[in-house]
Amino acid sequence: MKNFRNLIMALLVLGTMAACGAQTKVVRVYPKHGTVVTTIHRPKVVVHNKTNFYFADGIWYKVRGRRYVVCAAPVGIRVRTLPRGHKIVWRNGRKLYSYKGIWYKKTGRNFVVVTV
């Protein structure tokens, strides 16, 4: 009887852990270009060709009034860090970094947006 109780308790603990693990999965979708948002969580301001771009969670924005518009990453813009979840890819003998369709090349301490 004691072994049966221990078995049931172990199954309950494993079931609870599996249920909790299933709830923590987050699916991130890159928003379409032109999507307008009102707030950005901890953006980094990057100036490129005298234009301010905002970079947060791997997504690039431009300011329009009091709102932010999702835009394409400008080629040649530099960032210090890449977003979480980036992939390392070898293309034509070059080591590149990819995140949601945006390609980066490491140059010194920075990462530069490039076309592939």
Side-chain angles (χ1 to χ4, degrees), residues 38-76:
T38 55
T39 58
I40 304 174
H41 181 67
R42 295 173 39 183
K44 294 178 183 160
V45 179
V46 183
V47 179
H48 181 68
N49 291 339
K50 298 180 182 178
T51 304
N52 287 347
F53 289 91
Y54 295 82
F55 182 67
D57 296 326
I59 302 172
W60 290 94
Y61 302 91
K62 277 187 176 180
V63 173
R64 184 189 298 162
R66 292 185 170 185
R67 298 183 178 168
Y68 302 92
V69 180
V70 177
C71 65
V75 176

